[in-house]
Amino acid sequence: MINSEWNDFWNSGKIDDYLKFKQTENQYYGINREVRNGKDEVGESDRLVTLLTADYGLVNAFVRGAKQLKNRLAASTSLFAYSEFSIYQGKNANVVDGANPIEVFFDLRKDIERLAVAQYFAQLAFELANEGQPEEEMLSVILNSFHLLCKGEKAIIQIKSVVEFRLMSLSGYMPNILACANCGTYETDIMYFDTLEGCIYCENCQKIGAIACPKNVITAVRFICLTEPKKIYSFSLSEKNLELLSKISEQYVLSRIQKRLPTLEFYKSVKL
């Protein structure tokens, strides 16, 4: 369930609508540890939250009294918070019984560009994660991206490209990047990435509409998609090639999701 403010922002992509949504935000990301049975009683001051969990994927649950100023669960269920939750299954809905914050990533709120791209990552997870299925690595990717955004030691566009390609790969949309889709050549000095078909071509088989990339950019794409999770940020490219990597990762995401992503539009509107 998504509230009317989010729908307004979803349809318009306007900053004013985003700010209205922020006042009644209802999407949250954390970790779920315990699920037990209990009664289902939802009141007007309650709020629906969406949790990205390691064990159960996306979990929707109501937070009782969330709209009250002094609610004890406010920090644990704030946007971007990583928390430990106790949830019981009511007759018609899940209800958060208790929660303890582990990390709230407060520094994301100090910079509008970092806040905007973090919101985009949250929406990507919302679009790609499954309900009722483990999403441990996706949760790890999101948490690591928030941590790196807070530290400021990696370029935002590098973090963005890694999240985009890795989340697409985890969701079954890994591009065919092992070799040229036409002749099977592993690499040439210039390769071509086809964001619509999700494959690459060598310089001898270039395809109209595919984006020309130096081979080190394609090497970076392979690294992001195929290396072990803890190493996915361990590569370097020039600023120009990071921009190119960001271009192809973003276009690839849009070609697969096939819908407007207002959080991405908002990020691009505030990008420095």
Side-chain angles (χ1 to χ4, degrees):
M1 295 178 62
I2 299 176
N3 65 12
S4 60
E5 289 80 8
W6 175 260
N7 282 327
D8 291 341
F9 176 46
W10 184 278
N11 292 324
S12 71
K14 295 180 179 178
I15 293 178
D16 287 345
D17 288 334
Y18 173 79
L19 294 176
K20 291 178 182 177
F21 162 71
K22 284 291 293 179
Q23 296 175 357
T24 56
E25 62 195 11
N26 70 339
Q27 293 187 21
Y28 306 88
Y29 299 84
I31 186 168
N32 177 276
R33 297 288 191 185
E34 178 184 355
V35 178
R36 62 182 177 83
N37 292 325
K39 293 183 179 179
D40 175 17
E41 297 178 0
V42 178
E44 292 183 358
S45 64
D46 300 337
R47 174 179 292 162
L48 177 68
V49 300
T50 301
L51 311 172
L52 175 62
T53 73
D55 297 329
Y56 304 102
L58 290 180
V59 174
N60 295 312
F62 283 94
V63 181
R64 287 177 171 167
K67 297 178 183 179
Q68 298 173 1
L69 293 178
K70 296 183 179 180
N71 185 275
R72 62 184 175 84
L73 301 176
S76 302
T77 57
S78 62
L79 187 63
F80 310 129
Y82 176 50
S83 305
E84 183 177 21
F85 289 89
S86 173
I87 296 177
Y88 69 80
Q89 296 174 327
K91 183 177 180 181
N92 299 311
N94 298 319
V95 179
V96 176
D97 187 40
N100 296 307
I102 299 172
E103 173 60 65
V104 296
F105 299 105
F106 179 79
D107 286 347
L108 289 175
R109 294 159 176 82
K110 295 181 178 179
D111 178 84
I112 186 62
E113 184 178 357
R114 296 177 190 278
L115 177 65
V117 78
Q119 176 66 32
Y120 168 52
F121 295 164
Q123 186 181 2
L124 273 186
F126 181 79
E127 296 290 344
L128 296 172
N130 295 299
E131 294 185 23
Q133 299 181 26
E135 293 288 4
E136 184 175 3
E137 186 176 339
M138 185 176 293
L139 176 60
S140 176
V141 171
I142 295 297
L143 291 175
N144 285 337
S145 71
F146 289 172
H147 176 71
L148 290 172
L149 286 171
C150 288
K151 290 182 65 177
E153 296 177 358
K154 292 281 186 182
I156 293 178
I157 57 172
Q158 181 174 357
I159 299 171
K160 172 177 171 290
S161 296
V162 170
V163 171
E164 287 171 328
F165 271 129
R166 193 68 177 199
L167 260 56
M168 295 304 289
S169 298
L170 291 173
S171 304
Y173 297 106
M174 182 186 295
N176 181 5
I177 47 173
L178 296 181
C180 173
N182 186 52
C183 70
T185 298
Y186 180 71
E187 68 179 15
T188 52
D189 288 340
I190 299 296
M191 303 290 287
Y192 293 82
F193 193 103
D194 188 334
T195 58
L196 293 178
E197 296 297 328
C199 60
I200 59 174
Y201 295 92
C202 68
E203 61 186 6
N204 299 314
C205 301
Q206 57 181 285
K207 182 180 178 181
I208 295 176
I211 301 173
C213 304
K215 64 181 180 181
N216 61 342
V217 172
I218 298 300
T219 298
V221 176
R222 289 170 173 153
F223 185 84
I224 294 168
C225 295
L226 299 173
T227 197
E228 58 184 294
K230 65 181 181 180
K231 294 183 178 180
I232 55 176
Y233 291 100
S234 302
F235 68 92
S236 60
L237 290 172
S238 67
E239 182 176 350
K240 178 180 179 180
N241 283 340
L242 281 177
E243 291 283 356
L244 183 56
L245 178 65
S246 180
K247 177 182 178 180
I248 61 176
S249 62
E250 180 180 308
Q251 289 189 16
Y252 183 63
V253 165
L254 294 174
S255 74
R256 291 301 179 268
I257 292 183
Q258 296 186 339
K259 64 192 299 184
R260 286 184 60 236
L261 297 175
T263 52
L264 174 59
E265 295 173 9
F266 179 60
Y267 160 68
K268 293 171 74 172
S269 74
V270 301
K271 181 182 177 183
L272 299 179

